[in-house]
């Protein structure tokens, strides 16, 4: 898949931009603060309907405007896909695909496949579990769009169950109601929590098992064959779903029914604590993806360089996994070459050259390996202008792309 055309209106610092793009690598170059990251952030938004930099949508809308528009023409094999998103902070987004409005914006998820690697990804290794859960769930939804509904239903059930637990606790405190009455409806919510939570858990376990070998391979490629081995494990509040130890390839995974039974049991065990604390303590919303290097967890142990390489390997692992699924994702590399050493630059350049399309940003063109610099777009003064002398794709690249797949 590649982006043939990108149009932004009132997105971040862009009043309006209209940009034709070609397959293969394109470098966006410009001084700090000119809007390079903003451009590729919009590409990421097409895939995840979220930003890799901020949680909400409000910062994406140009100051003074009330809505932002991202419009993209994508090509997948010989099919053309026109995607239009109206970003309305505080209200529902509006999405159209090939000019037909989608009943629910989230139906877009999974259509545009892209993998974005940016300095912010360091939090995947060093940050809170919530970052890694979001990483897993975004990838999950990209591979299996149906799970977007499961994820949002689970979040809704969780909010309602938490509200109930909180009000139950308050009622108990004032002793106006018996424990049983105050929490009578909790059973209903337990059922929803268990059903949706088990589906999410089963899907996450499958994903971690599918992704792990790609991440291990990508890390060896980035850090060198003699570096420690990178591995993934899933640490769950439901013991059956894992304690964070990497599971050997090919190990049978528990299915959704087994996970539901285990989750139900755990919810019953923790109910007293949940009532005391007024929140849901068991379920996928409390789990974590454990990234380990050798025999140690990366978080708290890996060096800065190792953490960077792990973050990169996670994203290259996603790229390889989506590819193995039969999709050619758009690879987006935001401002990453400047911070990599020569070997890691070369490893990343090889992957980027093999991508059907790679969008690369840099403040200094020389930081980007020469083999990726055939098409350069200058970003300055609110405009994105292709530089003269950009060459068309050559035959050798096609050959290389075949070779690396
Ligand atoms: N909602 C918004 N409205 C207007 N301007 C915005 C908005 N959000 C961000 N900006 C501006 O966009 C600019 C940052 O753009 P961006 O992060 O894309 O820069 P960049 O070209 O990637 O720079 P660097 O090389 O430093 O990474 C900043 O000047 C910021 O003030
Ligand atoms: Mg930037």
């Amino acid at each position: 898949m590649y982006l043939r055309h990108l149009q932004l209106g009132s997105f971040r610092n862009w009043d309006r931009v209209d940009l034709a793009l070609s397959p293969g690598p394109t470098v966006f170059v410009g001084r700090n603060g000119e809007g390079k990251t903003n451009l590729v952030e919009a590409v990421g938004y097409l895939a995840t309907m979220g930003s890799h930099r901020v949680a909400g949508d409000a910062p994406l809308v140009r100051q003074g405007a009330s809505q932002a528009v991202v419009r993209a023409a994508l090509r997948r094999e010989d099919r053309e896909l026109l995607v239009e998103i109206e970003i309305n902070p505080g209200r529902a987004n509006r999405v159209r695909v090939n000019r037909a409005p989608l009943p629910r914006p989230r139906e877009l998820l999974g259509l545009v496949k892209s993998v974005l690697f940016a300095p912010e990804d360091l939090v995947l290794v060093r940050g809170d579990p919530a970052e890694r859960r979001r990483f897993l769930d975004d990838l999950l939804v990209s591979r299996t769009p149906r799970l977007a509904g499961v994820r949002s239903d689970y979040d809704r059930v969780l909010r309602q169950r938490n509200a109930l637990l909180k009000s139950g606790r308050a009622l108990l405190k004032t002793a106006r109601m018996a424990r049983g009455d105050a929490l009578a409806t909790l059973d209903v919510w337990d059922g929803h929590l268990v059903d949706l939570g088990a589906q999410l858990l089963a899907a996450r376990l499958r994903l971690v098992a599918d992704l792990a070998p790609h991440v291990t391979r990508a890390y060896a490629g980035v850090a060198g064959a003699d570096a420690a081995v990178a591995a993934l494990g899933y640490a769950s509040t439901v013991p059956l779903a894992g304690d964070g130890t990497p599971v050997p390839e090919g190990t049978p995974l528990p299915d959704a029914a087994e996970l539901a039974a285990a989750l139900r049991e755990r919810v019953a065990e923790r109910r007293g604590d949940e009532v005391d604390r007024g929140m849901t303590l068991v379920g996928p919303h409390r789990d974590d993806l454990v990234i380990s290097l050798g025999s140690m967890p990366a978080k708290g142990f890996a060096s800065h360089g190792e953490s960077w390489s792990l973050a990169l390997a996670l994203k290259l692992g996603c790229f390889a996994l989506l590819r193995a699924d039969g999709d050619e994702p758009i690879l987006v590399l935001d401002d990453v070459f400047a911070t990599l050493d020569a070997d890691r630059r070369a490893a990343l350049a090889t992957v980027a050259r093999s991508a059907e399309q790679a969008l690369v940003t840099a403040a200094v063109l020389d930081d980007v390996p020469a083999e990726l610099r055939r098409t350069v777009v200058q970003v300055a003064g609110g405009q994105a202008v292709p530089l003269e002398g950009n060459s068309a794709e050559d035959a050798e690249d096609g050959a290389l792309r075949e070779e690396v797949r």
Side-chain angles (χ1 to χ4, degrees), residues 288-327:
D288 198 0
L289 171 72
V290 178
I291 306 161
S292 57
L293 201 51
S295 58
M296 274 173 319
K299 190 176 174 179
F301 288 94
S303 74
H304 182 72
E306 286 170 337
S307 301
W308 247 104
S309 300
L310 281 167
L312 175 57
L314 276 177
K315 288 304 176 81
L316 294 182
C318 294
F319 186 72
L321 178 64
L322 291 173
R323 234 180 201 186
D325 288 345
D327 289 308

Side-chain angles (χ1 to χ4, degrees), residues 32-33 35-38 40 53 119-120 334-335 361-362:
N32 296 137
K36 306 177 295 293
T37 298
N38 295 344
V40 294
R53 297 201 281 191
E120 285 79 4
D334 181 29
D335 212 8
T361 76

Side-chain angles (χ1 to χ4, degrees), residues 8-17 62 382:
L8 304 180
S10 301
F11 186 93
R12 293 280 198 183
N13 70 324
W14 293 96
D15 175 26
R16 189 181 168 82
V17 66
R62 186 172 156 91

